[in-house]
Amino acid sequence: LRSPNVLLMSLKMSQKEPLAKVGDFGLTAAASARLQQELLTWQWMAPEAFLGENYTETCDLYSYGMILWEIFSGTGEIPFEAVAQQEKNKKKQAREFMNDIIHKNLRPSCDPSFPDDVKMLILRLWERDPNLRPTFATCLEILTNFQSGVKKPDGFLKNLLNRERARAFTTL
């Protein structure tokens, strides 16, 4: 899952809100065969996928966190683009960045303008341990509340995410 796989469209001219559809268009198998040669989408790749561990929905959750970061940063920047452009990093290869992502917890910076709930969600989606990432159902609940502007009691989001973390530990 990466941002180029998100298709924005409107089905009707009268529709005011764009409609987003997500799909991999059958490229998953082809991409995994090329993984040994070069990493074309490393910016969205979950650490466990790079390491060849079991690929589950949690890999897509990590990638979804990157897409949310792209949406809320509003710059059109690809994740890690600013880091890659720093003089000290210009000669780094994708595998070196992935090593930093896995072992040094390298992640894009969340701008201070990010809403707190969204920032907290993104950071949880980027957890190194895939079992600690929230489910898509939890993401939907958080983003629906954010979009509707419903003010939840203090600590609601933290409690919701902690419930997800507790669920992860009970299923281990």
Side-chain angles (χ1 to χ4, degrees), residues 90-106:
K90 283 192 177 181
K91 294 187 181 191
K92 272 189 171 183
Q93 299 297 316
R95 291 186 187 279
E96 293 174 277
F97 280 109
M98 282 306 300
N99 189 54
D100 289 348
I101 290 166
I102 293 165
H103 300 292
K104 297 179 182 175
N105 206 35
L106 176 67

Side-chain angles (χ1 to χ4, degrees), residues 43-104:
Q43 298 92 336
W44 297 272
M45 187 180 291
E48 64 273 17
F50 178 76
L51 292 171
E53 297 171 5
N54 285 341
Y55 185 95
T56 66
E57 180 180 285
T58 60
C59 292
D60 289 337
L61 285 158
Y62 177 92
S63 302
Y64 184 63
M66 288 298 170
I67 293 170
L68 282 177
W69 178 87
E70 289 179 276
I71 291 168
F72 281 91
S73 67
T75 63
E77 181 180 321
I78 291 173
F80 304 105
E81 188 174 19
V83 175
Q85 295 303 318
Q86 292 173 0
E87 196 60 43
K88 65 179 181 179
N89 294 325
K90 283 192 177 181
K91 294 187 181 191
K92 272 189 171 183
Q93 299 297 316
R95 291 186 187 279
E96 293 174 277
F97 280 109
M98 282 306 300
N99 189 54
D100 289 348
I101 290 166
I102 293 165
H103 300 292
K104 297 179 182 175

Side-chain angles (χ1 to χ4, degrees), residues 4-45:
N5 296 80
V6 179
L7 178 65
L8 293 175
M9 58 187 253
S10 292
L11 296 176
K12 299 177 185 170
M13 294 300 282
S14 62
Q15 192 173 354
K16 293 180 182 176
E17 301 278 329
L19 180 65
K21 297 286 185 175
V22 179
D24 73 4
F25 306 106
L27 299 176
T28 304
S32 61
R34 284 196 314 260
L35 201 56
Q36 301 303 324
Q37 299 166 6
E38 60 180 309
L39 297 173
L40 300 177
T41 60
W42 63 270
Q43 298 92 336
W44 297 272
M45 187 180 291

Side-chain angles (χ1 to χ4, degrees), residues 57 61 64 121 124-125 133-145 156-165 167:
E57 180 180 285
L61 285 158
Y64 184 63
L121 174 61
R124 289 297 299 276
L125 289 167
R133 296 178 194 144
T135 63
F136 274 117
T138 299
C139 293
L140 179 61
E141 185 176 347
I142 291 167
L143 294 172
T144 300
N145 288 332
F156 169 79
L157 179 60
K158 192 174 250 178
N159 289 335
L160 183 63
L161 291 171
N162 284 337
R163 184 179 74 213
E164 285 289 322
R165 183 172 284 201
R167 176 200 49 83

